[in-house]
Amino acid sequence: MNFKKMEHEYGCYLDRTSLVGVLSSGKDAIELVSACLSSSTCSLLLHQRSVSPDFLG
C-alpha cells in the first residue's frame, strides 16, 4: 500500500486515498499499523473507497 505522510501545525498523519477495496483482511490492517509505526505517527486517514465492504461486514 502507498501512503502519503501529511504534516501540518497540529501534527502528522498518513493518508491513503487511491484504489477501491484496499483494506480487506487482517493482514492489510497489520500493514496499516506497520506503516504508522515506521512513519512515527499514530494517525491514519482512510477514505471510504479505501475499505472493502467485506472488511466492514
Side-chain angles (χ1 to χ4, degrees), residues 1 16 18-26 28-29 32 46-57:
M1 287 184 219
R16 173 68 176 130
S18 64
L19 300 178
V20 173
V22 175
L23 183 60
S24 61
S25 69
D28 294 336
L32 291 176
L46 290 176
H47 297 268
Q48 182 179 3
R49 66 179 183 260
S50 296
V51 181
S52 167
D54 295 335
F55 187 79
L56 297 174

Side-chain angles (χ1 to χ4, degrees), residues 3-8 10-16 29-45:
F3 296 92
K4 183 176 182 181
K5 187 173 182 178
M6 308 296 290
E7 297 187 34
H8 55 81
Y10 302 108
C12 61
Y13 62 93
L14 294 182
D15 186 3
R16 173 68 176 130
I30 290 171
E31 190 172 339
L32 291 176
V33 172
S34 176
C36 286
L37 291 173
S38 66
S39 297
S40 300
T41 183
C42 59
S43 300
L44 178 66
L45 176 63

